[in-house]
Amino acid sequence: MQLKMDLQFFAGEKTEKATPKKRLDERKKGKVSKSQDINTAILLIFSFLALFVFGGFMLDTMLLMFISAFTESIYWDVTAESVQRVFNGASIEAAKMLAPIMLIAIIAGFGSNLMQIGFLFTTESLKFDLKRMDPIQGAKRIFSIRALVELLKSFLKITLIGGITFSIIWAFKDDVLMLAFTNAESALALFGRVAIIMGLSATAALFFLAILDYLYQRYDFEKNMRMSKQDIKDEYKNMEGDPLIKSKIKEKQRMMATRRMMAEVPQADVVITNPTHFAIALKYSEEKAGAPYVIAKGVDQTALKIREIAKEHNIATVEDKPLARSLYATVDIGQEIPEEFYQAVAEILAYIYRIEKKA
């Protein structure tokens, strides 16, 4: 009894890799292996690169907006129409200024997801599920190993990125202290340079952490996807059907094929036997084939049935052990006999035709 329980325990233990079918089913539900930190790192890298490339364009646009505001708009009367005009103009210029960066950010976001999981669109995660509101399951998620890993990862990110940011600001502290003696353009240039350096450095550190996170997410995903031996058996049954039912279906198919074959035996010209173990029914028709062909064959009980039907319909039966064995092994039902059997079969048919002619 104890041995049986142990076997059931090991059969239910999830030790096997997930099958392609389970992976596909889980993917349809939106369950895939991906790291959100990879998406964030790639998004930040491309966003800062876009700021570096389009920084001059953004500065020029902002300067034009300020020049227009302090040389033209400042003299307008404050009315609903003038305020609306200023707001619309500023919104259009801001949209033009931010459009390249937003476009690059959107492309980077889609690209990072495609790079990790390929194209995936599913609405399964949007469906209402009461299990998500289960407080017990929620508590398990909060106090799970995964939650602890996420906490440590967040603490590491804050510490690392905070340290990098402080180090860069400290490296430029002298330049920052001298800003009081420079003009606004130089100050903006310094702030922009420091911001880009901080952003790219912090993003590089985040990208390093994201790679580690991706490896962990993949490991955790594979671990959760594991199947037990019983799960694999059940999946196979669902895909292929119950083996017992399949065997019964095959048995029925064999019986139907045998009945169809037996119905063809009365059309045979001759039945070649072993004499007891093998029986092959041959027919020759110039209209259907260029050589004699097999319309039925069988061994043991099937061979006996073929001989009985042949006897009932006065079909000639010829005993030829080597020929019967060879035909059974090499020729399927409905096929013409090979060329090497032409002479032997022709002699048998000629003999039968002579006997029928005399009769």
Side-chain angles (χ1 to χ4, degrees), residues 64 66-77 85-86:
L64 289 175
F66 279 110
I67 290 171
S68 176
F70 287 105
T71 58
E72 297 180 13
S73 305
I74 196 171
Y75 298 108
W76 295 351
D77 293 332
R85 184 178 175 184
V86 170

Side-chain angles (χ1 to χ4, degrees), residues 124-142:
E124 288 291 330
S125 57
L126 301 177
K127 291 183 178 178
F128 180 74
D129 188 0
L130 288 174
K131 292 181 180 178
R132 297 176 184 172
M133 303 175 65
D134 188 351
I136 297 176
Q137 295 296 328
K140 287 182 179 180
R141 286 194 295 269
I142 293 173

Side-chain angles (χ1 to χ4, degrees), residues 199-268:
L200 292 177
S201 300
T203 303
L206 182 61
F207 194 76
F208 172 74
L209 294 177
I211 293 175
L212 298 179
D213 179 64
Y214 176 78
L215 295 176
Y216 169 75
Q217 297 293 345
R218 191 163 187 82
Y219 163 78
D220 188 63
F221 177 77
E222 292 294 334
K223 182 180 177 182
N224 293 329
M225 287 284 287
R226 285 178 187 169
M227 303 172 67
S228 65
K229 296 184 185 296
Q230 187 61 43
D231 291 336
I232 295 176
K233 289 180 181 179
D234 293 340
E235 181 184 283
Y236 177 77
K237 284 183 180 179
N238 292 332
M239 290 177 62
E240 303 294 332
D242 193 313
L244 181 61
I245 296 175
K246 285 181 66 179
S247 64
K248 289 183 178 180
I249 292 174
K250 288 182 178 179
E251 181 63 27
K252 275 195 170 185
Q253 290 174 341
R254 282 195 295 269
M255 291 174 62
M256 293 173 64
T258 301
R259 283 198 293 268
R260 286 196 300 268
M261 182 180 69
M262 294 302 178
E264 296 291 329
V265 174
Q267 308 298 323

Side-chain angles (χ1 to χ4, degrees), residues 102-121:
M102 295 299 295
L103 181 61
I104 290 174
I106 292 171
I107 294 174
F110 276 107
S112 60
N113 278 290
L114 288 173
M115 182 180 66
Q116 291 191 78
I117 61 174
F119 181 77
L120 175 63
F121 178 78

Side-chain angles (χ1 to χ4, degrees), residues 3 47 122 139 166 197 235 245 249 254 263 266 341 346:
L3 178 61
S47 297
T122 178
F166 176 79
I197 293 173
E235 181 184 283
I245 296 175
I249 292 174
R254 282 195 295 269
F341 299 119

